[in-house]
Structures are given as C-alpha cells and as structure tokens.
Amino acid sequence: MSKVRDRTEDFKDVAHRSALSLGYNESKTAALLASFIMHKPRQRSGFTRAALKTLESIGTLEQFLMKHKKDYVDLHRTTEQERDSIEHEVTIFVKSCKEQIDVLRNSINEEDANSKGWLGLKGDNLNADTIAHKHGVVLILSEKLHSVTSQFDQLRAIRFQDAINRVTPRRKRKNTTKSNAAETSASSSLDPNMKRDFEGLGDPDTQAAPIRVQEQLLDDETRALQVELNSLLDSVQETETKMVEMSALNHLMSTHVLQQAQQIELLYDQAVEATQNVELGNKELSQAIQRNSSSRTFLLLFLFVLTFSILFLDWYS
C-alpha cells in the first residue's frame, strides 16, 4: 500500500499565488485569514439594543433604590421633603421603564402582523421562533421591573407604618392628659364649696372670697378650653392617620390596577388573535367544502362518462 503524501503546503502555496494574482498583498491576505479565524461580532438589531437599554434602566433603578434605601426608611437621616423627592424620582423611573417595555411589545405585535403571509398564515417557523423569543424577552423585563417595584412598595409600607406609629403614641399621651385635666377640674370644682364653708365658719376676712371665686371660675374655663382643644387635636391626628392609611392603600390599589391592566391587555391580544384564527379556520372550511363539492361533481361526471363508454363499446361490438 502506497504512502499518503501530505499536500497541505502545496495547497497553501497555490492559494497564496492565486491571492497575489487577484491583487491581494500580504496585509490584505493576513486580514482575510484573520477574519476566517476570528469572526466579527454580529450587529445587534434595534429590538436587542432597546431591550438592553431597558434592562440597563431597570438596573439603574435597582441601584438607586439600594443606594437610597436607608435614607428613605430611616427617619433621622432625611426629611419628609427628601423622601418625597426620592419617591418622585422612583415613580419617574418606573414610568419610563414601563413605556420602553410597551414600545418593545408594540414592535413585536407589528412584526407579527407583518410576518403573516397569504390568508393571514405565518410565513416560516424561524420568524415565529424569533417572535416567541422576543415575547419572552419582554416578559422577563416586565417581571424584573415588577420585582424592583415590589421592593419599593415594601419600603413605602415601612415608611407609612412608621408614620402611623409616630401618630399613635401622641394620641395616647393626649388622652392621658385629657383624663388628668378632667380629674383636676372635677376636684377643683369641689374646692370652692369647701372653702366657702370654712370661710363662713371661721375666716373674718370675707372680702377676698369673691376674688378667689372669680379666679376659680377662670381656671375652670381655661381647663374646659384645654380639654376641648385636646379633643380637637386628637380628631386631627386621627384624621391624619386615616389619610396616611388611605394613601398607602391607594398606592397598593394603583399597583394592582396596573398589573390587571397589563393582564387585560394580554388577554385582549390573545382574544383578537383567537378571533382571527377562527375566521381563518372558517375560510379554510368553506374552501374545503367547495373543493369537496367540485370533486364530487367531477367523480359523478367521470362515472357517467365511463358507464356511457362501456355501453357504447358493448353496443358497438
């Protein structure tokens, strides 16, 4: 058996001479060989760039929350205005990310509508797989944004709970003060009678008694006004607590309404797609019925001609 000869070097020499004859110098040849080994990165599509930008925005939002988490929760680090500013910036971030996700979803729907061929049927499986992949990307971005907003909802719930806890002890202290003032007023209301009895019995200076009575009446009126103001303050603080609770419930309701709106929109798109599929199925069924009737007519005509031919041949023979 003959020995196999290695012709690799001869092939390289022939390829080099052919490249030189076609006008390729050494640098162009080296660049061409390098491009065969190290491929250039593929250019990203507009959808991919937009999705990466949205993911970067969500990551920036998450970093912002982690950076200002202690400032938002701790009462001694920032003021109410600064916490409101942080909350406003987070709301703007979330709204911007949601708009970007909506743009991506609309672009997928447009691409899906344009990719349908004759009679609304989808063109090729490759395009369908690409659209399904893009839907998955949008779903992942939505879940990522929802996870970040859930973290902020927890921080906001902590803030509202701290506000409620700050208001509740003050109400308790005011109620205690109110009860003490009422007891003092009741005890003071008994003092003038006792004083008048003792003064009538043994005090010869009866001119100072009307002055003390007037001072006691003024003290009673002052205490009554103080009790009324304390009751008004308690009602105001109770209203403040209810407003804080209503604000927290309103935010939670808006979050759930937003999630339900997204789910309703998805269900609406699926219902529209199902309606289109039903219409296409009806068209296909009508066409199948027409083909069936035409084939039946052709079969009857063929049998009639065949029978007539057999009778003609039998008569002719």
Short mmCIF file of all heavy atoms in Angstrom, two decimals, residues 245-255:
data_model
loop_
_atom_site.label_atom_id
_atom_site.label_comp_id
_atom_site.label_asym_id
_atom_site.label_seq_id
_atom_site.Cartn_x
_atom_site.Cartn_y
_atom_site.Cartn_z
N GLU A 245 -53.09 56.06 55.99
CA GLU A 245 -53.52 54.70 55.63
C GLU A 245 -54.20 54.68 54.26
O GLU A 245 -53.97 53.77 53.45
CB GLU A 245 -54.47 54.17 56.69
CG GLU A 245 -53.81 53.94 58.04
CD GLU A 245 -54.82 53.52 59.10
OE1 GLU A 245 -56.03 53.52 58.78
OE2 GLU A 245 -54.39 53.20 60.24
N MET A 246 -55.02 55.70 53.97
CA MET A 246 -55.67 55.77 52.66
C MET A 246 -54.65 55.96 51.55
O MET A 246 -54.80 55.41 50.44
CB MET A 246 -56.68 56.91 52.65
CG MET A 246 -57.94 56.65 53.48
SD MET A 246 -59.04 58.06 53.53
CE MET A 246 -59.45 58.20 51.78
N SER A 247 -53.59 56.74 51.80
CA SER A 247 -52.54 56.92 50.79
C SER A 247 -51.83 55.61 50.49
O SER A 247 -51.57 55.26 49.33
CB SER A 247 -51.54 57.97 51.26
OG SER A 247 -50.51 58.14 50.33
N ALA A 248 -51.52 54.85 51.56
CA ALA A 248 -50.87 53.55 51.35
C ALA A 248 -51.78 52.59 50.58
O ALA A 248 -51.35 51.90 49.63
CB ALA A 248 -50.48 52.94 52.69
N LEU A 249 -53.06 52.55 50.95
CA LEU A 249 -54.00 51.68 50.24
C LEU A 249 -54.18 52.13 48.80
O LEU A 249 -54.33 51.30 47.90
CB LEU A 249 -55.34 51.68 50.97
CG LEU A 249 -55.36 51.02 52.36
CD1 LEU A 249 -56.72 51.20 53.01
CD2 LEU A 249 -55.02 49.54 52.25
N ASN A 250 -54.17 53.45 48.58
CA ASN A 250 -54.31 53.96 47.21
C ASN A 250 -53.14 53.54 46.34
O ASN A 250 -53.32 53.16 45.18
CB ASN A 250 -54.44 55.48 47.25
CG ASN A 250 -54.78 56.06 45.90
OD1 ASN A 250 -55.22 55.35 45.00
ND2 ASN A 250 -54.58 57.34 45.74
N HIS A 251 -51.93 53.59 46.91
CA HIS A 251 -50.76 53.17 46.14
C HIS A 251 -50.81 51.68 45.83
O HIS A 251 -50.53 51.26 44.69
CB HIS A 251 -49.49 53.50 46.91
CG HIS A 251 -48.25 53.01 46.23
ND1 HIS A 251 -47.75 53.58 45.08
CD2 HIS A 251 -47.41 51.98 46.54
CE1 HIS A 251 -46.66 52.93 44.71
NE2 HIS A 251 -46.43 51.96 45.58
N LEU A 252 -51.18 50.87 46.82
CA LEU A 252 -51.28 49.43 46.57
C LEU A 252 -52.36 49.14 45.53
O LEU A 252 -52.18 48.28 44.65
CB LEU A 252 -51.60 48.70 47.87
CG LEU A 252 -50.50 48.73 48.95
CD1 LEU A 252 -50.99 48.06 50.21
CD2 LEU A 252 -49.24 48.06 48.44
N MET A 253 -53.46 49.87 45.59
CA MET A 253 -54.52 49.67 44.61
C MET A 253 -54.06 50.04 43.20
O MET A 253 -54.35 49.35 42.23
CB MET A 253 -55.75 50.49 45.00
CG MET A 253 -56.96 50.28 44.10
SD MET A 253 -58.35 51.29 44.61
CE MET A 253 -58.70 50.57 46.22
N SER A 254 -53.31 51.16 43.10
CA SER A 254 -52.81 51.56 41.78
C SER A 254 -51.84 50.53 41.23
O SER A 254 -51.85 50.25 40.02
CB SER A 254 -52.12 52.92 41.90
OG SER A 254 -51.00 52.86 42.76
N THR A 255 -51.02 49.93 42.10
CA THR A 255 -50.10 48.88 41.64
C THR A 255 -50.86 47.67 41.11
O THR A 255 -50.57 47.14 40.03
CB THR A 255 -49.18 48.46 42.79
OG1 THR A 255 -48.49 49.61 43.28
CG2 THR A 255 -48.16 47.43 42.30
#
